[in-house]
Amino acid sequence: MPEPDRIIRLKTVIARTGLSRSTIYRKIAEGTFPAQLKISSNGTGWHESDIHRWIAHPAGWRPKHESDKGK
């Protein structure tokens, strides 16, 4: 049975990607980095699998729904 997709917080995303907080949010606005999920009234996080996909191919990363078109 596959492990569930964990939700990771900003501190972990920064550590794994090497990007600064401001760069992450700028890239989200540009559409070149996975958008965060609202996980509580004051908290956000990212699907760990989305961050892994971005790390594997940062220059060509696109949201899943866009990259799946035509397949």
Side-chain angles (χ1 to χ4, degrees), residues 50-65:
D50 287 342
I51 300 305
H52 285 304
R53 282 190 325 118
W54 185 89
I55 290 168
H57 195 47
W61 183 89
R62 293 292 173 255
K64 269 188 182 177
H65 64 286

Side-chain angles (χ1 to χ4, degrees), residues 8 13 18 23-25 27 29 32-33 35-36 39 41-42 45 50-51 56 69 71:
I8 56 176
V13 173
T23 299
I24 288 170
Y25 286 113
K27 287 181 162 296
T32 59
F33 194 84
Q36 69 273 36
I39 57 176
S41 60
N42 293 319
D50 287 342
I51 300 305
K69 287 180 182 175
K71 287 187 179 180

Side-chain angles (χ1 to χ4, degrees), residues 14-53:
I14 290 170
R16 290 192 185 172
T17 62
L19 300 175
S20 68
R21 180 180 189 271
S22 59
T23 299
I24 288 170
Y25 286 113
R26 179 178 45 82
K27 287 181 162 296
I28 290 170
E30 294 170 349
T32 59
F33 194 84
Q36 69 273 36
L37 309 163
K38 188 144 181 91
I39 57 176
S40 69
S41 60
N42 293 319
T44 60
W46 284 259
H47 282 289
E48 190 172 34
S49 63
D50 287 342
I51 300 305
H52 285 304
R53 282 190 325 118

